């Protein structure tokens, strides 16, 4: 199974099924795919003590990383084989402190896909559904 020969949706579904190894980032910031559909991803994430800032709160980069992954993968799920992408802009709004040692849920949806640019939006929520952070992303598409 060559990831470069797979559509974005097929690659993400292979990750969900465990047929492809998790990314290094998904180990650094623990994330696991829960669901993938065209233009949609849902994943779980969990902040640990390694994600704390000097004041003892979860670093804002944790939520930003989870939302960058979710919004990027929502775009990726819409791309055909051989098309890559990268984040141009990520706007994150931190709404509540991210809890430590609790399962969180991130969901993202693609908003617009054109030949060269794609946009998506996402949300990070606590296990009881409280909105912790939101994001919008713009990605460039790299077509061969």
């Amino acid at each position: 199974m060559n990831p470069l020969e797979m559509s974005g949706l097929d690659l993400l579904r292979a990750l969900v099924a465990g047929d492809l190894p998790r990314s290094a980032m998904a180990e650094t910031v623990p994330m696991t795919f829960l669901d993938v559909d065209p233009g949609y991803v849902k994943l779980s994430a969990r902040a640990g003590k390694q994600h704390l800032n000097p004041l003892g709160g979860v670093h804002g980069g944790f939520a930003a990383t989870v939302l960058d992954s979710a919004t990027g993968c929502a775009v990726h799920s819409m791309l055909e084989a051989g098309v890559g992408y990268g984040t141009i802009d990520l706007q994150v709004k931190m709404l509540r402190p991210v809890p430590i040692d609790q399962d969180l849920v991130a969901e993202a949806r693609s908003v617009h896909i054109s030949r060269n640019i794609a946009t998506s939006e996402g949300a990070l929520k606590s296990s009881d559904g409280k909105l912790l952070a939101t994001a919008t992303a713009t990605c460039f598409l790299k077509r061969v």
Side-chain angles (χ1 to χ4, degrees), residues 28-30 45-67 92 94-104 124 126 132-133:
T28 301
V29 174
R46 189 176 184 97
K49 64 181 179 182
Q50 70 274 26
H51 303 113
L52 298 181
N53 64 30
L55 296 177
V58 175
H59 191 282
F62 176 87
T65 299
V66 172
L67 287 167
V92 180
M94 309 292 186
L95 305 173
R96 285 190 171 91
V98 172
I100 188 170
D101 294 327
Q102 292 184 26
D103 291 328
L104 309 173
L124 180 65
S126 63
L132 305 173

Side-chain angles (χ1 to χ4, degrees), residues 6-121:
M6 302 170 76
S7 72
L9 184 61
D10 289 341
L11 183 143
L12 293 170
R13 286 186 171 159
L15 286 168
V16 171
D19 296 333
L20 288 174
R22 292 165 39 119
S23 71
M25 183 54 75
E27 298 293 334
T28 301
V29 174
M31 295 180 277
T32 303
F33 285 99
L34 300 174
D35 193 17
V36 177
D37 282 311
Y40 171 82
V41 298
K42 182 178 183 179
L43 54 88
S44 67
R46 189 176 184 97
K49 64 181 179 182
Q50 70 274 26
H51 303 113
L52 298 181
N53 64 30
L55 296 177
V58 175
H59 191 282
F62 176 87
T65 299
V66 172
L67 287 167
D68 185 44
S69 295
T71 56
C73 288
V75 167
H76 194 192
S77 72
M78 299 295 290
L79 302 179
E80 59 272 14
V83 179
Y85 72 97
T87 303
I88 294 173
D89 180 63
L90 180 69
Q91 295 182 19
V92 180
K93 304 291 187 229
M94 309 292 186
L95 305 173
R96 285 190 171 91
V98 172
I100 188 170
D101 294 327
Q102 292 184 26
D103 291 328
L104 309 173
V105 175
E107 291 182 276
R109 297 182 189 285
S110 64
V111 174
H112 174 77
I113 308 285
S114 70
R115 174 127 182 94
N116 298 313
I117 297 288
T119 61
S120 57
E121 58 190 15

